[in-house]
Amino acid sequence: NELSKCKDFLNAEFRHYCISIITTRLAVKNRDSTLCDSILLELRPECQTAVAVTALDLALCDKAVGEPTSDRFTVPTCIGEIAAVKGDASYCEKITTAAYPGECLRKVAIATKNLALCQTLYKGREIKDHRFWCHTRYAVENEEAQVCQEITEPTYRDGCYKEVAKN
């Protein structure tokens, strides 16, 4: 049993992470989110999100509830991951949390190489920072520095070029 390896950790935190990693791998392999229920509560959303994304099952995202301030393993993040894998921005419409639809669209824009999605962030509301961030992440992830030219604000444009150069 792989979990027996975790007993070697004297530090409880390391032991819990070990159990979480092995259990998540097993849950993903078997596409069984109930296995995630056996791990520490604060580590559970990562496992549940991994299973939901692997299975491309939005219903499983409802179980991926993390801390309200967490931006990694929450229901909206789970939906965004599935949207990116499927390349379908319509999934982003299912996200009602204010900050997350844009994050979802950014992920889909990068995954599908559809820069036009960056223009649709936040359903037409003028939130420049987020659109610029989408352009920057798109440029970095797709290694397309020319995308930075589309950013009209000089500070954000320079930041975009800087990020592309760093990576």
Side-chain angles (χ1 to χ4, degrees):
N1 183 340
E2 276 192 88
L3 287 174
S4 63
K5 297 175 189 175
C6 299
K7 291 178 184 164
D8 294 337
F9 288 104
L10 298 177
N11 180 301
E13 187 177 347
F14 292 157
R15 192 169 43 255
H16 288 300
Y17 278 112
C18 177
I19 291 167
S20 173
I21 290 165
I22 291 170
T23 302
T24 298
R25 268 194 242 138
L26 188 60
V28 166
K29 179 181 176 187
N30 295 314
R31 294 182 183 201
D32 182 359
S33 67
T34 62
L35 295 174
C36 302
D37 296 340
S38 68
I39 61 178
L40 206 58
L41 185 61
E42 63 259 24
L43 301 175
R44 213 172 284 166
E46 182 174 1
C47 179
Q48 293 162 331
T49 296
V51 175
V53 172
T54 301
L56 298 176
D57 186 344
L58 281 178
L60 292 178
C61 288
D62 290 334
K63 294 180 79 178
V65 178
E67 293 294 318
T69 57
S70 169
D71 64 348
R72 286 188 64 210
F73 304 110
T74 61
V75 174
T77 301
C78 182
I79 293 169
E81 294 293 329
I82 291 174
V85 170
K86 286 193 164 199
D88 187 348
S90 69
Y91 283 87
C92 301
E93 294 169 12
K94 299 176 186 334
I95 299 173
T96 57
T97 310
Y100 287 97
E103 178 65 16
C104 180
L105 286 170
R106 182 188 62 77
K107 287 178 183 180
V108 176
I110 291 167
T112 61
K113 294 191 175 211
N114 181 358
L115 186 60
L117 287 174
C118 289
Q119 301 295 351
T120 65
L121 288 181
Y122 297 89
K123 297 182 170 104
R125 285 186 284 158
E126 192 63 26
I127 303 177
K128 292 179 184 176
D129 292 359
H130 296 290
R131 281 191 291 125
F132 295 150
W133 178 243
C134 184
H135 278 74
T136 299
R137 296 310 318 149
Y138 183 98
V140 169
E141 299 292 328
N142 292 309
E143 298 178 354
E144 294 182 22
Q146 70 275 14
V147 168
C148 298
Q149 295 172 33
E150 295 184 27
I151 299 174
T152 56
E153 299 280 332
T155 305
Y156 291 115
R157 185 175 50 243
D158 291 347
C160 180
Y161 283 121
K162 180 181 173 186
E163 288 296 315
V164 172
K166 277 191 338 190
N167 295 297

